[in-house]
Amino acid sequence: MLVTSARALQQPARHMQRMGLRTARPLLFRATAPASLFGDEVPNPTHVPQPPANRIKGSYHWMNERAVTLLSVPLLATAFVYGPHAINDMLLGIVLPVHAHMGFGSVLLDYFERRRWPVISRVLKYALFGITGLAMFGAWRINTTDVGLTAYFSRLWNANKTQKTKE
């Protein structure tokens, strides 16, 4: 038995507080720092200013991402079932770049925080807007001056098959 005195049996809680990792040996040093070490420098969480609510951020942003994802499912199913159609191609030319923009925007928010990388995060954010705009412009050009997005991707998908049949 580790405890031998009657006094230690009467005060088991005090004895257990000084033990580390449930061993019978008491700790040599206390783990708590004196209060005067930090003083008034520790911020009180009740006085931390809260940013105003914003509909673009938070749960609304999450719901917008899911809505764009759910919009892309019937558009892609329509393209697979019915083939090229002008309205469907225009909607795909809008929804797919917006979906990619939201996904890459989340990646940038996760890996390039504005507090830690203020310049790089801003440059990458504006680059993402530029690339998304170019993607939408390219989709519009394919839809208006060429065969449309669905037929374009169908030709890309079957390019090797048509080359093998020609030979």
Side-chain angles (χ1 to χ4, degrees):
M1 185 171 197
L2 296 174
V3 180
T4 56
S5 69
R7 186 173 159 216
L9 286 174
Q10 292 172 354
Q11 299 174 351
R14 185 173 174 216
H15 180 68
M16 292 299 288
Q17 286 176 354
R18 298 212 31 163
M19 292 172 49
L21 299 174
R22 295 185 185 233
T23 63
R25 248 179 120 173
L27 290 174
L28 297 175
F29 301 102
R30 291 190 154 229
T32 58
S36 62
L37 180 66
F38 295 110
D40 294 334
E41 296 174 13
V42 178
N44 189 350
T46 58
H47 298 292
V48 175
Q50 296 295 324
N54 190 348
R55 291 180 82 66
I56 304 245
K57 297 178 181 175
S59 63
Y60 293 110
H61 190 258
W62 185 86
M63 289 187 328
N64 292 340
E65 287 177 352
R66 298 311 173 263
V68 168
T69 302
L70 288 175
L71 277 174
S72 65
V73 172
L75 290 174
L76 291 171
T78 303
F80 280 119
V81 172
Y82 294 112
H85 191 270
I87 295 173
N88 193 32
D89 286 344
M90 279 297 189
L91 290 174
L92 280 172
I94 295 168
V95 170
L96 290 180
V98 168
H99 176 73
H101 176 84
M102 288 181 162
F104 283 116
S106 296
V107 170
L108 292 179
L109 282 176
D110 288 343
Y111 291 105
F112 295 99
E113 295 180 60
R114 189 176 218 173
R115 291 178 300 171
R116 188 167 182 187
W117 308 95
V119 176
I120 293 174
S121 67
R122 188 169 292 147
V123 167
L124 290 175
K125 183 178 80 170
Y126 290 130
L128 179 63
F129 276 104
I131 291 169
T132 303
L134 286 174
M136 290 178 118
F137 177 73
W140 176 76
R141 291 285 293 182
I142 289 172
N143 285 330
T144 56
T145 61
D146 206 0
V147 293
L149 281 177
T150 307
Y152 181 77
F153 283 114
S154 176
R155 288 181 183 180
L156 281 177
W157 189 266
N158 297 320
N160 287 336
K161 293 177 187 175
T162 56
Q163 286 180 354
K164 289 180 182 177
T165 56
K166 288 180 182 179
E167 294 174 353

